[in-house]
């Protein structure tokens, strides 16, 4: 499972579970993650969770900007179109900051480090 953790001054303000499928972010009330901020577009961005083509028990997460006015950023780089998300990426939607946490990828990273030490 993955989560999008909203940070305000580096303090956790909200936590959103990212489940398989599409999760829309924006100012409009119909978005799964609603951001009540005038700098956020009504339909700002979407997170897509797709099963990995080789290992269906694992998911890959993508963030896509939906032609927003103030942009969508991953690790302080503006994205155009679709961008793969990785564990600990920092996502910014206008002025709203989030940390992307992928527990499965975090566990895989630990396994890789253990195998590298052998």
């Amino acid at each position: 499972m993955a989560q999008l953790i909203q940070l305000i001054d580096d303090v956790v303000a909200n936590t959103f579970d990212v489940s398989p499928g599409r999760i829309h972010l924006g100012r409009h009330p119909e978005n799964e993650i609603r951001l009540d901020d005038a700098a956020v577009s009504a339909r700002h961005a979407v997170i897509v969770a797709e099963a990995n083509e080789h290992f269906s028990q694992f998911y890959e997460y993508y963030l896509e900007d939906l032609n927003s006015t103030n942009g969508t950023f991953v690790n302080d780089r503006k994205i155009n179109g679709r961008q793969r998300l990785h564990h600990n990426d920092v996502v910014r939607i206008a002025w709203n900051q989030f940390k992307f946490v992928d527990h499965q990828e975090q566990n895989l990273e630990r396994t890789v480090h253990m195998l590298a030490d052998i």
Side-chain angles (χ1 to χ4, degrees), residues 48-97:
V48 180
E50 299 175 348
N52 179 289
E53 66 177 306
H54 302 289
F55 303 99
S56 60
Q57 72 272 28
F58 295 103
Y59 283 88
E60 294 176 352
Y61 300 90
Y62 298 90
L63 179 65
E64 184 176 343
D65 183 81
L66 299 176
N67 298 314
S68 66
T69 301
N70 292 311
T72 302
F73 299 80
V74 175
N75 299 324
D76 289 326
R77 298 176 89 184
K78 186 174 184 175
I79 66 168
N80 294 310
R82 188 169 154 137
Q83 167 78 40
R84 172 103 189 262
L85 292 174
H86 295 282
H87 178 66
N88 280 333
D89 277 346
V90 176
V91 173
R92 186 164 54 83
I93 306 288
W95 303 110
N96 299 274
Q97 186 171 329

Side-chain angles (χ1 to χ4, degrees), residues 3-18 25-26 33-37 40 89-101:
Q3 294 179 315
L4 198 61
I5 300 171
Q6 187 174 22
L7 302 171
I8 298 175
D9 296 329
D10 291 327
V11 176
V12 174
N14 291 301
T15 302
F16 304 97
D17 291 334
V18 179
L25 299 95
I33 298 178
R34 185 169 182 266
L35 302 171
D36 189 19
D37 180 344
V40 174
D89 277 346
V90 176
V91 173
R92 186 164 54 83
I93 306 288
W95 303 110
N96 299 274
Q97 186 171 329
F98 300 87
K99 185 173 200 176
F100 179 74
V101 176

